[in-house]
Short mmCIF file of all heavy atoms in Angstrom, two decimals:
data_model
loop_
_atom_site.label_atom_id
_atom_site.label_comp_id
_atom_site.label_asym_id
_atom_site.label_seq_id
_atom_site.Cartn_x
_atom_site.Cartn_y
_atom_site.Cartn_z
N ILE A 1 0.86 -1.16 -0.01
CA ILE A 1 0.00 -0.01 0.01
C ILE A 1 0.92 1.21 -0.01
O ILE A 1 1.77 1.35 0.89
CB ILE A 1 -0.90 -0.03 1.26
CG1 ILE A 1 -1.77 -1.24 1.23
CG2 ILE A 1 -1.73 1.25 1.29
CD1 ILE A 1 -2.59 -1.45 2.52
N GLU A 2 0.68 2.05 -0.97
CA GLU A 2 1.53 3.30 -1.09
C GLU A 2 1.16 4.23 0.09
O GLU A 2 -0.04 4.58 0.23
CB GLU A 2 1.29 3.98 -2.44
CG GLU A 2 2.23 5.18 -2.62
CD GLU A 2 2.05 5.82 -3.91
OE1 GLU A 2 1.38 5.26 -4.81
OE2 GLU A 2 2.62 6.93 -4.15
N THR A 3 2.03 4.58 0.84
CA THR A 3 1.78 5.41 1.94
C THR A 3 2.99 6.20 2.34
O THR A 3 4.13 5.90 1.84
CB THR A 3 1.29 4.58 3.13
OG1 THR A 3 1.07 5.46 4.29
CG2 THR A 3 2.29 3.54 3.59
N THR A 4 2.93 7.11 3.23
CA THR A 4 4.08 7.93 3.60
C THR A 4 4.62 7.36 4.93
O THR A 4 5.54 7.96 5.44
CB THR A 4 3.72 9.40 3.82
OG1 THR A 4 2.62 9.57 4.72
CG2 THR A 4 3.29 10.01 2.47
N LEU A 5 4.09 6.32 5.39
CA LEU A 5 4.57 5.78 6.68
C LEU A 5 6.00 5.28 6.55
O LEU A 5 6.34 4.59 5.54
CB LEU A 5 3.65 4.57 7.11
CG LEU A 5 2.23 4.93 7.50
CD1 LEU A 5 1.46 3.73 7.82
CD2 LEU A 5 2.18 5.89 8.62
N PRO A 6 6.84 5.59 7.47
CA PRO A 6 8.30 5.23 7.32
C PRO A 6 8.55 3.73 7.60
O PRO A 6 9.61 3.32 7.40
CB PRO A 6 8.92 6.11 8.42
CG PRO A 6 7.85 6.31 9.44
CD PRO A 6 6.55 6.37 8.68
N ASN A 7 7.54 2.94 8.08
CA ASN A 7 7.78 1.61 8.46
C ASN A 7 7.71 0.66 7.28
O ASN A 7 7.89 -0.53 7.47
CB ASN A 7 6.91 1.14 9.56
CG ASN A 7 5.42 1.20 9.13
OD1 ASN A 7 5.06 1.60 8.08
ND2 ASN A 7 4.58 0.71 10.06
N ILE A 8 7.49 1.13 6.08
CA ILE A 8 7.47 0.25 4.91
C ILE A 8 8.84 -0.33 4.64
O ILE A 8 9.04 -1.46 4.23
CB ILE A 8 6.87 0.94 3.68
CG1 ILE A 8 5.42 1.16 3.88
CG2 ILE A 8 7.16 0.19 2.40
CD1 ILE A 8 4.75 1.90 2.77
N GLY A 9 9.80 0.59 4.80
CA GLY A 9 11.22 0.10 4.60
C GLY A 9 11.41 -0.44 3.22
O GLY A 9 11.01 0.17 2.19
N ASP A 10 12.08 -1.53 3.11
CA ASP A 10 12.44 -2.15 1.84
C ASP A 10 11.60 -3.42 1.54
O ASP A 10 12.00 -4.19 0.75
CB ASP A 10 13.93 -2.56 1.81
CG ASP A 10 14.82 -1.34 1.75
OD1 ASP A 10 14.39 -0.27 1.23
OD2 ASP A 10 15.98 -1.44 2.22
N ARG A 11 10.43 -3.52 2.15
CA ARG A 11 9.60 -4.69 1.96
C ARG A 11 9.15 -4.85 0.49
O ARG A 11 8.97 -5.95 0.01
CB ARG A 11 8.32 -4.68 2.86
CG ARG A 11 8.67 -5.07 4.31
CD ARG A 11 7.43 -5.08 5.13
NE ARG A 11 7.01 -3.74 5.37
CZ ARG A 11 5.76 -3.43 5.77
NH1 ARG A 11 4.88 -4.39 5.91
NH2 ARG A 11 5.42 -2.18 5.99
N TRP A 12 9.00 -3.73 -0.20
CA TRP A 12 8.63 -3.84 -1.57
C TRP A 12 9.65 -4.58 -2.45
O TRP A 12 9.36 -5.16 -3.48
CB TRP A 12 8.33 -2.43 -2.16
CG TRP A 12 9.58 -1.60 -2.28
CD1 TRP A 12 10.08 -0.76 -1.28
CD2 TRP A 12 10.51 -1.47 -3.35
NE1 TRP A 12 11.23 -0.15 -1.68
CE2 TRP A 12 11.50 -0.59 -2.98
CE3 TRP A 12 10.53 -2.00 -4.62
CZ2 TRP A 12 12.54 -0.18 -3.81
CZ3 TRP A 12 11.52 -1.63 -5.44
CH2 TRP A 12 12.57 -0.78 -5.01
N LEU A 13 10.93 -4.65 -2.01
CA LEU A 13 11.96 -5.33 -2.65
C LEU A 13 11.75 -6.84 -2.62
O LEU A 13 12.35 -7.59 -3.40
CB LEU A 13 13.37 -4.97 -2.11
CG LEU A 13 13.78 -3.53 -2.23
CD1 LEU A 13 15.00 -3.27 -1.45
CD2 LEU A 13 13.97 -3.22 -3.72
N ASN A 14 10.85 -7.33 -1.73
CA ASN A 14 10.65 -8.78 -1.61
C ASN A 14 9.66 -9.31 -2.66
O ASN A 14 9.46 -10.48 -2.78
CB ASN A 14 10.08 -9.13 -0.24
CG ASN A 14 11.07 -8.88 0.88
OD1 ASN A 14 12.28 -9.10 0.65
ND2 ASN A 14 10.63 -8.46 2.05
N LEU A 15 9.02 -8.43 -3.46
CA LEU A 15 8.11 -8.83 -4.41
C LEU A 15 8.85 -9.50 -5.62
O LEU A 15 9.92 -9.03 -6.07
CB LEU A 15 7.29 -7.65 -4.99
CG LEU A 15 6.22 -7.07 -4.09
CD1 LEU A 15 5.65 -5.85 -4.78
CD2 LEU A 15 5.16 -8.16 -3.88
N LYS A 16 8.27 -10.61 -6.01
CA LYS A 16 8.82 -11.35 -7.15
C LYS A 16 7.71 -11.48 -8.20
O LYS A 16 6.76 -12.18 -7.98
CB LYS A 16 9.39 -12.65 -6.77
CG LYS A 16 10.62 -12.52 -5.92
CD LYS A 16 11.29 -13.84 -5.58
CE LYS A 16 12.43 -13.66 -4.67
NZ LYS A 16 12.98 -14.90 -4.17
N LEU A 17 7.81 -10.70 -9.26
CA LEU A 17 6.74 -10.69 -10.30
C LEU A 17 7.02 -11.80 -11.34
O LEU A 17 8.14 -11.94 -11.79
CB LEU A 17 6.64 -9.33 -10.97
CG LEU A 17 6.43 -8.22 -10.03
CD1 LEU A 17 6.42 -6.85 -10.82
CD2 LEU A 17 5.09 -8.37 -9.25
N PRO A 18 5.93 -12.57 -11.65
CA PRO A 18 6.10 -13.62 -12.61
C PRO A 18 6.23 -13.02 -14.04
O PRO A 18 5.24 -12.55 -14.55
CB PRO A 18 4.87 -14.50 -12.49
CG PRO A 18 3.85 -13.55 -11.92
CD PRO A 18 4.61 -12.53 -11.09
N ILE A 19 7.37 -13.05 -14.65
CA ILE A 19 7.58 -12.51 -15.98
C ILE A 19 8.06 -13.70 -16.82
O ILE A 19 9.07 -14.32 -16.58
CB ILE A 19 8.62 -11.36 -15.97
CG1 ILE A 19 8.11 -10.19 -15.05
CG2 ILE A 19 8.89 -10.88 -17.38
CD1 ILE A 19 9.05 -9.10 -14.89
N HIS A 20 7.32 -13.91 -17.89
CA HIS A 20 7.68 -15.00 -18.78
C HIS A 20 9.03 -14.73 -19.49
O HIS A 20 9.38 -13.61 -19.83
CB HIS A 20 6.55 -15.15 -19.86
CG HIS A 20 6.50 -16.50 -20.49
ND1 HIS A 20 7.35 -17.00 -21.38
CD2 HIS A 20 5.63 -17.57 -20.17
CE1 HIS A 20 7.06 -18.24 -21.67
NE2 HIS A 20 6.04 -18.62 -20.99
N GLU A 21 9.80 -15.82 -19.70
CA GLU A 21 11.13 -15.64 -20.32
C GLU A 21 11.03 -15.32 -21.83
O GLU A 21 11.90 -14.63 -22.35
CB GLU A 21 11.91 -16.97 -20.18
CG GLU A 21 12.30 -17.22 -18.72
CD GLU A 21 13.02 -18.53 -18.58
OE1 GLU A 21 13.31 -19.23 -19.59
OE2 GLU A 21 13.31 -18.90 -17.42
N ASP A 22 10.01 -15.79 -22.43
CA ASP A 22 9.82 -15.61 -23.94
C ASP A 22 9.26 -14.20 -24.23
O ASP A 22 8.17 -13.86 -23.75
CB ASP A 22 8.89 -16.68 -24.48
CG ASP A 22 8.68 -16.59 -25.99
OD1 ASP A 22 9.24 -15.65 -26.63
OD2 ASP A 22 8.04 -17.45 -26.55
N GLU A 23 9.98 -13.41 -24.99
CA GLU A 23 9.66 -12.03 -25.28
C GLU A 23 8.26 -11.98 -26.02
O GLU A 23 7.45 -11.16 -25.82
CB GLU A 23 10.74 -11.32 -26.11
CG GLU A 23 10.39 -9.88 -26.34
CD GLU A 23 11.52 -9.19 -27.10
OE1 GLU A 23 12.67 -9.75 -27.12
OE2 GLU A 23 11.27 -8.15 -27.63
N ASN A 24 8.06 -12.90 -26.91
CA ASN A 24 6.78 -12.97 -27.74
C ASN A 24 5.61 -13.27 -26.73
O ASN A 24 4.53 -12.74 -26.92
CB ASN A 24 6.85 -14.03 -28.81
CG ASN A 24 7.84 -13.68 -29.93
OD1 ASN A 24 7.98 -12.46 -30.20
ND2 ASN A 24 8.54 -14.61 -30.45
N LYS A 25 5.87 -14.20 -25.77
CA LYS A 25 4.81 -14.51 -24.88
C LYS A 25 4.49 -13.29 -23.99
O LYS A 25 3.27 -13.01 -23.71
CB LYS A 25 5.23 -15.74 -24.02
CG LYS A 25 4.14 -16.24 -23.17
CD LYS A 25 2.99 -16.84 -23.98
CE LYS A 25 2.04 -17.56 -23.04
NZ LYS A 25 0.92 -18.12 -23.76
N ARG A 26 5.49 -12.55 -23.56
CA ARG A 26 5.32 -11.33 -22.79
C ARG A 26 4.45 -10.35 -23.56
O ARG A 26 3.55 -9.70 -23.01
CB ARG A 26 6.65 -10.72 -22.41
CG ARG A 26 7.35 -11.43 -21.30
CD ARG A 26 8.45 -10.63 -20.66
NE ARG A 26 9.41 -10.00 -21.59
CZ ARG A 26 10.59 -10.54 -22.00
NH1 ARG A 26 10.94 -11.68 -21.45
NH2 ARG A 26 11.36 -9.92 -22.83
N ALA A 27 4.72 -10.17 -24.89
CA ALA A 27 4.02 -9.27 -25.71
C ALA A 27 2.54 -9.68 -25.80
O ALA A 27 1.64 -8.85 -25.77
CB ALA A 27 4.60 -9.19 -27.11
N THR A 28 2.35 -10.99 -26.01
CA THR A 28 0.94 -11.54 -26.04
C THR A 28 0.17 -11.20 -24.72
O THR A 28 -0.92 -10.80 -24.75
CB THR A 28 0.97 -13.01 -26.28
OG1 THR A 28 1.60 -13.25 -27.58
CG2 THR A 28 -0.41 -13.61 -26.32
N ILE A 29 0.82 -11.49 -23.61
CA ILE A 29 0.27 -11.25 -22.30
C ILE A 29 -0.06 -9.78 -22.16
O ILE A 29 -1.19 -9.35 -21.66
CB ILE A 29 1.14 -11.73 -21.19
CG1 ILE A 29 1.28 -13.22 -21.22
CG2 ILE A 29 0.67 -11.24 -19.80
CD1 ILE A 29 2.31 -13.87 -20.30
N THR A 30 0.82 -8.92 -22.60
CA THR A 30 0.63 -7.44 -22.53
C THR A 30 -0.64 -7.07 -23.32
O THR A 30 -1.50 -6.27 -22.79
CB THR A 30 1.83 -6.71 -23.03
OG1 THR A 30 2.96 -6.99 -22.20
CG2 THR A 30 1.65 -5.20 -23.03
N LYS A 31 -0.74 -7.56 -24.48
CA LYS A 31 -1.86 -7.25 -25.30
C LYS A 31 -3.22 -7.76 -24.73
O LYS A 31 -4.22 -7.07 -24.71
CB LYS A 31 -1.75 -7.86 -26.76
CG LYS A 31 -0.75 -7.20 -27.57
CD LYS A 31 -0.61 -7.95 -28.95
CE LYS A 31 0.54 -7.36 -29.71
NZ LYS A 31 0.77 -8.11 -30.97
#
């Protein structure tokens, strides 16, 4: 949650987004 609270720290760095390795597949997903 975007906020100005100082206790967020670096927790956003723990996110791992599933991104397909195939560039064509990524383009298809984007569309």
